[in-house]
Amino acid sequence: MVKEAGYKPLDMKTWARTPYYNYYAHGSKGMCAVTADLDISALAKKVGDDIFIPLLYAITKVINGRKEFRVGYCKENGELMVWDYISPIHRVFHPDTETFTRVCTEWKENYKDFAKGAAADIAAGEKCASLNADEFPDSVFEVSYVPWLRYSSVNMKMSESGKYLAPIVTIGKAEEIGGAVKVPLTMQISHAVADGFHIARFFKEVTEEAQKLAAAL
């Protein structure tokens, strides 16, 4: 079972986003959902079609490098806090039933350690017929992989309460376009904690991390 991460309280008196959080979490409950094409040519050259775990690593590393993606609610007092890190929940598809099992891979900074854990979690998910392979901690975010479809947008509405703050990431089918291998990537997150600027930076940094990983493999 993936362990729960530690956290630190978020000081609403000094947090620059406090007025934005108050407006979007309690008022309009606005959402951001943006899709961009990422050039993963260097990574695809190294790993071929097995892009999921390397991309999952790059995405999780970028998310853990930015506070806005790790904001959540403390179970003890309901106040806002920031997780020390969050781990990805992802899905293992079952072709025979056309269903999936959710698995969680604990975040590890070292790529080999993370990849080993992700591969083991996927193998366990393949043997599991239920929705969830295990109990999950609260320090998580969601990832879906849709390798059958190259899409241009995703619109997945989140909680009506405005209380869901963690990122939801979708990865589409990678294809060669104009000599480059590109993959559609979607980031969806509450406007209470992030804006278009933060999402644009997320895409930029995931591209950079994928290039760094390719160079290291």
Side-chain angles (χ1 to χ4, degrees):
M1 180 178 174
V2 176
K3 65 183 179 182
E4 187 112 296
Y7 62 85
K8 299 177 181 63
L10 198 158
D11 188 348
M12 299 294 285
K13 294 180 180 178
T14 61
W15 188 32
R17 286 199 68 85
T18 294
Y20 305 90
Y21 166 81
N22 289 334
Y23 178 73
Y24 286 111
H26 304 298
S28 74
K29 300 179 177 63
M31 303 299 307
C32 294
V34 180
T35 299
D37 262 342
L38 267 62
D39 186 335
I40 59 165
S41 300
L43 187 60
K45 187 175 181 180
K46 288 291 184 73
V47 302
D49 293 332
D50 298 327
I51 65 164
F52 177 67
I53 291 177
L55 266 182
L56 184 66
Y57 172 83
I59 289 164
T60 307
K61 185 174 182 180
V62 170
I63 282 175
N64 277 304
R66 294 294 178 181
K67 183 174 80 172
E68 62 265 18
F69 298 136
R70 293 181 282 112
V71 177
Y73 293 97
C74 179
K75 285 193 296 187
E76 284 75 19
N77 57 23
E79 300 293 329
L80 283 177
M81 50 77 178
V82 180
W83 293 110
D84 293 341
Y85 64 91
I86 55 178
S87 298
I89 290 176
H90 48 106
R91 287 133 177 86
V92 178
F93 182 66
H94 303 300
D96 54 337
T97 60
E98 298 182 353
T99 60
F100 62 84
T101 294
R102 297 165 80 232
V103 299
C104 185
T105 296
E106 188 161 3
W107 169 237
K108 302 287 185 182
E109 184 80 23
N110 180 275
Y111 173 69
K112 289 184 178 180
D113 291 340
F114 179 84
K116 182 179 179 181
D121 295 327
I122 290 170
E126 289 173 344
K127 300 174 182 177
C128 181
S130 61
L131 173 62
N132 297 322
D134 203 345
E135 293 184 19
F136 303 139
D138 292 328
S139 49
V140 293
F141 70 100
E142 298 274 354
V143 179
S144 292
Y145 182 35
V146 189
W148 315 278
L149 178 67
R150 176 173 175 75
Y151 62 82
S152 57
S153 66
V154 171
N155 186 6
M156 185 186 297
K157 196 171 184 180
M158 290 200 292
S159 171
E160 293 284 345
S161 68
K163 292 290 187 179
Y164 190 91
L165 302 178
I168 296 177
V169 177
T170 306
I171 306 166
K173 181 180 180 180
E175 288 185 338
E176 185 172 339
I177 299 174
V181 179
K182 295 187 177 182
V183 63
L185 186 70
T186 303
M187 160 65 82
Q188 181 169 294
I189 194 164
S190 171
H191 235 325
V193 295
D195 303 313
F197 167 82
H198 305 97
I199 296 175
R201 183 169 62 188
F202 164 78
F203 290 134
K204 176 178 179 291
E205 292 181 347
V206 170
T207 301
E208 292 170 349
E209 286 299 332
Q211 291 171 344
K212 291 178 185 176
L213 182 56
L217 291 176

